[in-house]
Amino acid sequence: MIRLYFLQALYHLRENPIITWVSVLGTAMAICMIMVLVITFQVRLVDCEPEVNRSRTLYVPYMSVKLKGKSDNESANASMSVRTGRECFRALTTPEAVTLVSSAGKVRASVPAGSKATADMVQTDEAFWSVFSFRFLSGAGFTRADCDAGLPRAVLSATIARQLFGTTDVVGHTVQLNYIDYTVAGVVADVSMLATAAYAQIWVPYTAADAESLSWQDDTMGPMHAVILAHSSADFDAIRKETELLRQKYNDGLRDVEIFYRGQPDTQLAYLYRRWYAEPDVPGVMLRYGIVIAILLLVPAVNLSGMTLSRMRRRMAEIGVRKAFGATGGELIRQVFFENFVLTLLAGVVGLALSYAATFLLNDFLFSNSTNAYLSGETALTPGMLLSPWAFIAAFAFCLLMNVLSAGIPAWRASRMNITDAINQR
């Protein structure tokens, strides 16, 4: 029976090729637009290498400082100093791990009397390699002993290692960063700039560089931000409470100023949409995405439904004849459902392929912004970033529902009509 339904569906699709392909392409474009929107959202939100723990990670990218007794609006806003990071975040006991990371800065990397390259470098600590999951091609990350001793260690990305040495097997070699010698501790696979918290091309201990000396506002502000890895997202409230206790203790030791975090630590979604002192409107962001998705689904769906309805009305006589030869109402409805399932399935495959093609072709347009414009890396996409089965299933199911309803309701009405009226399309 399924084979018969399938053959009948193909026959009816070939019967009106123009209408069929307009329907297929219209449905495919609706699915494509939804998938592109979802992909651009999920590449920054879902777990993907090396940020495989986004769902249980909290972020403190900025902080504020004000004179004691002043209002929150009379404040300076920037990243934190190493001292603030250590006393307010590295001292946390509830999380699994806490790392301090500087913003990426340009560095001149070279091999003595050899190749040179300009790279993006961040300063961090040994906990960085526990918070994020890097794929090491050789060696390993620098250790706590390295950081405590302030030893000049460096981890290179594969691209930088190849540019400087011609290979990734360079553990123990010397690399000069702004003409200072560092020993290569490891080499990792390249990181996409879309992994905003983990991205760099070179990583060094902040104790071996200049992060600790870069501070202002009574040594409260500096170049660092904190990334907190919880054992589970259920620990977020407990971490925020402990963070507040440490903040109060830290402020008690400050003479003239005090720090505050404006609603931080942030979840991944809030972290993406935070802008300096402005607290992100997460419900508003989700509402805007929902409205856009609804428009992208409804507008083409309504147009396609009208086309499907028109096609089914022209088949009223056929339905009447089939009913006259003994076809039951259930059989007619199942046939209509199967025809539209085949049509939507074909459109879904085309739409999914178009969405991936559009994402790759429009990579720079979709993912370049003022934050990563000056960086040297690429907004590379991985399979984990692209695959979104639930979004595809939801878009496919909605289009299928609209097509089935627009075809099924006339078919159901025809199956209940007098045979003569159905044949004469009355």
Side-chain angles (χ1 to χ4, degrees):
M1 182 63 71
I2 296 296
R3 181 174 178 274
L4 179 60
Y5 283 163
F6 183 74
L7 292 175
Q8 289 176 333
L10 291 180
Y11 171 78
H12 286 297
L13 293 180
R14 290 197 303 266
E15 188 178 20
N16 295 294
I18 295 178
I19 294 178
T20 296
W21 281 109
V22 169
S23 299
V24 168
L25 292 177
T27 304
M29 289 304 298
I31 293 176
C32 172
M33 289 186 291
I34 294 299
M35 289 301 297
V36 168
L37 183 65
V38 169
I39 289 171
T40 57
F41 186 70
Q42 78 163 10
V43 295
R44 298 181 174 94
L45 191 64
V46 302
D47 295 349
C48 58
E49 187 180 302
E51 297 180 1
V52 298
N53 299 310
R54 286 174 171 175
S55 57
R56 58 187 182 100
T57 300
L58 293 172
Y59 306 84
V60 187
Y62 308 114
M63 52 165 284
S64 299
V65 178
K66 65 178 182 178
L67 292 173
K68 289 186 175 181
K70 295 293 185 178
S71 71
D72 290 355
N73 293 327
E74 300 176 85
S75 64
N77 309 283
S79 302
M80 68 187 70
S81 66
V82 170
R83 174 195 171 197
T84 300
R86 282 175 173 165
E87 296 190 29
C88 295
F89 299 101
R90 287 280 287 178
L92 289 167
T93 59
T94 306
E96 179 179 324
V98 180
T99 183
L100 303 180
V101 189
S102 73
S103 300
K106 294 293 183 185
V107 66
R108 183 68 168 174
S110 61
V111 175
S115 302
K116 299 177 176 61
T118 299
D120 300 325
M121 186 183 80
V122 302
Q123 303 177 42
T124 184
D125 49 43
E126 79 287 348
F128 184 84
W129 312 110
S130 299
V131 172
F132 302 108
S133 181
F134 286 80
R135 181 160 52 91
F136 276 86
L137 305 181
S138 63
F142 36 80
T143 65
R144 182 170 184 175
D146 294 333
C147 294
D148 289 344
L151 298 179
R153 300 287 186 256
V155 173
L156 310 181
S157 69
T159 293
I160 296 300
R162 292 190 182 101
Q163 286 181 8
L164 297 178
F165 298 98
T167 177
T168 59
D169 189 16
V170 295
V171 174
H173 287 59
T174 297
V175 59
Q176 291 185 332
L177 304 178
N178 287 343
Y179 307 105
I180 298 174
D181 288 346
Y182 284 77
T183 301
V184 177
V187 177
V188 298
D190 290 344
V191 180
S192 171
M193 290 193 297
L194 296 174
T196 53
Y199 168 76
Q201 294 176 312
I202 300 175
W203 298 260
V204 300
Y206 59 73
T207 53
D210 60 357
E212 290 186 273
S213 63
L214 299 175
S215 65
W216 57 95
Q217 290 286 355
D218 290 346
D219 196 19
T220 58
M221 289 185 163
M224 311 302 287
H225 57 269
V227 183
I228 305 167
L229 178 63
H231 293 282
S232 164
S233 59
D235 295 336
F236 284 178
D237 287 341
I239 291 172
R240 289 189 174 101
K241 289 179 181 178
E242 187 182 4
T243 298
E244 181 60 19
L245 292 175
L246 289 177
R247 185 188 73 86
Q248 293 174 0
K249 179 181 177 181
Y250 184 66
N251 283 339
D252 290 341
L254 298 175
R255 179 178 178 180
D256 299 316
V257 299
E258 58 181 329
I259 66 169
F260 59 104
Y261 306 135
R262 297 187 183 276
Q264 300 173 93
D266 287 334
T267 60
Q268 177 71 19
L269 183 60
Y271 164 66
L272 291 176
Y273 290 94
R274 179 175 289 275
R275 295 294 180 269
W276 292 97
Y277 63 88
E279 295 189 35
D281 180 16
V282 175
V285 170
M286 298 306 295
L287 178 61
R288 289 193 292 274
Y289 267 98
I291 292 173
V292 172
I293 289 175
I295 292 173
L296 291 178
L297 276 175
L298 287 174
V299 172
V302 169
N303 291 333
L304 291 170
S305 296
M307 188 177 297
T308 305
L309 178 61
S310 176
R311 187 175 72 243
M312 286 308 302
R313 283 176 174 169
R314 289 197 297 270
R315 293 180 58 190
M316 295 283 278
E318 174 201 335
I319 293 173
V321 171
R322 292 186 62 190
K323 186 176 180 182
F325 279 90
T328 64
E331 290 174 337
L332 294 173
I333 296 299
R334 283 194 295 273
Q335 172 62 26
V336 169
F337 172 81
F338 200 85
E339 287 177 13
N340 283 274
F341 177 78
V342 171
L343 179 75
T344 309
L345 181 62
L346 176 60
V349 173
V350 174
L352 190 63
L354 287 175
S355 68
Y356 289 153
T359 303
F360 277 106
L361 292 174
L362 301 175
N363 186 299
D364 290 339
F365 174 77
L366 293 172
F367 302 114
S368 294
N369 52 51
S370 58
T371 302
N372 60 32
Y374 76 101
L375 300 176
S376 302
E378 297 181 353
T379 52
L381 296 167
T382 65
M385 294 176 177
L386 291 174
L387 296 177
S388 181
W390 290 113
F392 172 71
I393 291 172
F396 174 84
F398 183 84
C399 292
L400 177 62
L401 176 64
M402 294 297 292
N403 285 344
V404 167
L405 287 177
S406 59
I409 292 175
W412 175 79
R413 291 178 59 192
S415 69
R416 297 175 62 86
M417 289 174 62
N418 179 279
I419 293 175
T420 304
D421 290 339
I423 292 175
N424 290 293
Q425 301 188 36
R426 290 200 294 265

